[in-house]
Amino acid sequence: MAIFEGLGKYRNTGLLMLRIGLGVMFIIHGFPKLAGGPDGWTGLGGSMKVVGIDFLPVFWGFMAAVAETFGGFLLIVGLFYRPACMLLVFTMVIAALVHLGKGDGLKGASHAIELGIVFFSLIFIGPGKYSVDKK
């Protein structure tokens, strides 16, 4: 359609809107986990059992909370963009495996799978023009 033909020149704006939207949502989702302290981190880090890691659950839970909270911030500003996306992909893989392991099926795991696909794709796309990394 002719109305959409000129939108291609706003790719970087669209990428910025995507980064801001996902980043804000991950900060909102991750901060309560980060603020949950060692008790919350232990429960969250226990999720690593799905990949055979059953040691240091406090550490793994803290890292997941940091990945979501600060990964969201790094996504917004476009700093350390690809490493942040890689950590978020890993976090979403674990989340999907936890849901599948609990018997939630694809319906329960779909949100984590979808976000994992988005973050994996963003690794290749890069942060765009409006970012600190500017790549």
Side-chain angles (χ1 to χ4, degrees), residues 26-37 40-41 65 69:
F26 263 78
I27 291 169
I28 290 169
H29 191 74
F31 184 74
K33 294 176 183 174
L34 191 60
W41 303 335
T69 306

Side-chain angles (χ1 to χ4, degrees), residues 15 19 78 81-82 122 125-131 133-135:
L15 184 54
R19 287 184 8 235
Y81 182 78
R82 287 184 169 101
L122 289 175
I125 295 169
K129 180 173 144 182
Y130 306 121
S131 70
D133 286 348
K134 293 182 186 168
K135 292 180 184 172

